[in-house]
Amino acid sequence: MTGNKAVAYKGPGKVELIDIDYPTFELKDGPGVNPANVGRSVRHGVILKTVATNICGSDQHMVRGRTTAPTDLVLGHEITGEVVEVGPDVEFIKVGDICSVPFNIACGRCRNCKERKTGICLNVNPDRPGSAYGYVDMGGWVGGQANYVLVPYADWNLLKFPDKDQALEKMMDLTMLSDIFPTGFHGAVTAGVGVGSTVYVAGAGPVGLAAATSAQLLGAAVVIVGDMNADRLAQARSFGCETIDLSKGGPAEQIEQLLGVPEVDCGVDAVGFEAKGHGAGAHEAPATVLNSLMEVTAAGGALGIPGLYVTGDPGGVDEAAKKGSLSLSLGTGWAKSLSFTTGQCPVMKYNRQLMMAILHDKVHIAKNVNAKAIALEDAPKGYAEFDAGAATKFVLNPNGYLS
């Protein structure tokens, strides 16, 4: 039997490399697996040998102990891999194909999938619409920070790269297609970014940098990125963004210094529920980003909200926050006729187009997010450095495909 090592959550602040079973075409019981999914046949799936799998800020929320994730949950929803086995019901995907895996697991058969709402598939998670690999309350599909991973509904879910050699050459860019590039793009699209737009992106982590890159790709005139981390702000400036330092106060005055007016056409929240207030020494205040975006987005504008918000946060600052209830100034949004789009990005809506932009050198997302390949056994160090604020997107290299 082929060995399989994986990165697992071992409690707040701790991840470890563990041995797990090699995947089969049946969903087995394990940490976080929904009991109704145990024994589920996956004849429509494939087994991938992982080419690249990334550490995501959403993983970091779990590792910090800010969700109800169980111990030994195998992490990883940003997956690119080479097909090594195909289930008996797979028709089009073949052994040897190198493919990007959307982090959303979708059946391709339900009403939502047919309407391109693959982030809220109705058939893959018995508890609620929507599912993902290696994530709390998402049905229990095993994560991809491992040597091998099972992908269900393979003909539907997988994005096959057209040329294997070209894909391996551009893998550090292509690995971003599983999540952060489409997610950032979705944030920009739903914020209404177009040619000549002025855009404010809250958060200079990888998703924020991907959103800023996407705004540029969509033709924005000015992209402003706000954060408190000097290294991450420098990374945003490295590809042409304006930046504001939120440790010096809120965004409105600093935006006015850049644009002459204290508002932008489009706003993107790439922070989520662990947001802090503004100013030096600011403490966690989870509604800060959403309220400040409503303040600085022009009347009639829109907010794209790819930042993660949860319904269960053991570390919430108060009882309301622990249930995902935030003190939003909804009256501001109503008075200004602002539109809001939240939830998982439907990756399949964008990933092929973004793949083509990468393959034809229209965008260099790996450079913009400062991607760095590390060995699978170095994942605990990568998690620690990312949690400490490193301006780096860590890409795990479980099987030696990456140089």
Side-chain angles (χ1 to χ4, degrees):
M1 178 67 71
T2 303
N4 195 18
K5 292 188 177 296
V7 180
Y9 171 66
K10 301 296 283 189
K14 189 175 182 181
V15 298
E16 287 183 4
L17 197 63
I18 65 171
D19 291 303
I20 64 170
D21 291 337
Y22 183 83
T24 66
F25 295 110
E26 179 182 306
L27 193 56
K28 304 288 182 63
D29 197 9
V33 178
N34 190 299
N37 263 349
V38 174
R40 185 168 180 160
S41 176
V42 193
R43 293 168 56 88
H44 43 67
V46 302
I47 295 170
L48 295 183
K49 186 177 184 181
T50 307
V51 173
T53 178
N54 316 328
I55 296 175
C56 179
S58 298
D59 298 318
Q60 198 73 64
H61 292 306
M62 289 189 291
V63 171
R64 289 185 185 128
R66 297 298 299 267
T67 71
T68 55
T71 300
D72 287 328
L73 181 76
V74 173
L75 301 167
H77 56 271
E78 299 189 7
I79 308 163
T80 308
E82 180 175 6
V83 178
V84 292
E85 292 186 47
V86 298
D89 291 347
V90 175
E91 186 175 0
F92 304 113
I93 295 294
K94 306 299 182 186
V95 170
D97 289 345
I98 293 185
C99 305
S100 179
V101 184
F103 80 89
N104 325 107
I105 302 172
C107 72
R109 296 151 166 81
C110 70
R111 172 181 175 175
N112 285 350
C113 284
K114 290 179 179 181
E115 294 178 357
R116 303 182 77 191
K117 300 173 184 175
T118 53
I120 44 174
C121 173
L122 300 174
N123 288 331
V124 286
N125 182 356
D127 280 344
R128 67 183 73 176
S131 191
Y133 305 87
Y135 213 84
V136 58
D137 295 332
M138 288 291 188
W141 299 89
V142 178
Q145 289 177 10
N147 296 113
Y148 298 92
V149 63
L150 171 69
V151 173
Y153 302 103
D155 282 327
W156 168 251
N157 280 307
L158 291 177
L159 175 68
K160 175 185 171 182
F161 298 133
D163 182 88
K164 186 172 183 177
D165 291 337
Q166 183 189 32
L168 291 172
E169 180 184 342
K170 293 182 176 291
M171 185 51 60
M172 291 297 283
D173 291 292
L174 293 172
T175 188
M176 306 305 164
L177 292 173
S178 58
D179 182 356
I180 67 161
F181 196 10
T183 292
F185 195 82
H186 181 61
V189 167
T190 56
V193 177
V195 174
S197 298
T198 57
V199 184
Y200 173 52
V201 178
V207 170
L209 297 175
T213 299
S214 300
Q216 292 176 338
L217 194 61
L218 289 164
V222 183
V223 181
I224 303 168
V225 180
D227 206 296
M228 297 181 178
N229 182 313
D231 291 339
R232 290 181 172 182
L233 290 174
Q235 186 62 32
R237 290 193 295 273
S238 75
F239 59 95
C241 299
E242 300 287 351
T243 60
I244 58 177
D245 183 351
L246 297 172
S247 69
K248 296 179 179 178
E253 182 178 341
Q254 296 183 70
I255 288 172
E256 186 171 19
Q257 291 172 359
L258 291 168
L259 299 179
V261 291
E263 62 182 20
V264 292
D265 300 322
C266 314
V268 179
D269 173 3
V271 179
F273 73 102
E274 288 191 72
K276 293 182 179 179
H278 300 139
H283 298 289
E284 187 170 317
T288 299
V289 171
L290 292 170
N291 286 332
S292 64
L293 281 171
M294 286 190 278
E295 177 189 356
V296 302
T297 302
L303 308 185
I305 309 173
L308 175 68
Y309 290 87
V310 295
T311 57
D313 173 14
V317 294
D318 54 36
E319 290 306 310
K322 289 178 181 179
K323 296 181 288 187
S325 297
L326 309 182
S327 298
L328 295 180
S329 180
L330 192 59
T332 300
W334 191 93
K336 296 176 76 173
S337 294
L338 299 176
S339 301
F340 300 74
T341 301
T342 66
Q344 288 187 35
C345 164
V347 170
M348 293 173 68
K349 189 173 182 178
Y350 309 108
N351 61 352
R352 185 185 181 278
Q353 301 94 305
L354 295 176
M355 175 189 76
M356 295 300 288
I358 289 169
L359 294 179
H360 293 278
D361 295 316
K362 298 302 181 186
V363 66
H364 301 283
I365 185 64
K367 174 178 176 290
N368 289 7
V369 301
N370 193 28
K372 178 182 178 182
I374 62 174
L376 188 67
E377 56 265 28
D378 291 332
K381 181 180 177 183
Y383 270 97
E385 291 183 8
F386 188 44
D387 190 45
T392 305
K393 176 68 172 177
F394 289 102
V395 178
L396 302 180
N397 182 22
N399 294 301
Y401 285 88
L402 306 176
S403 59

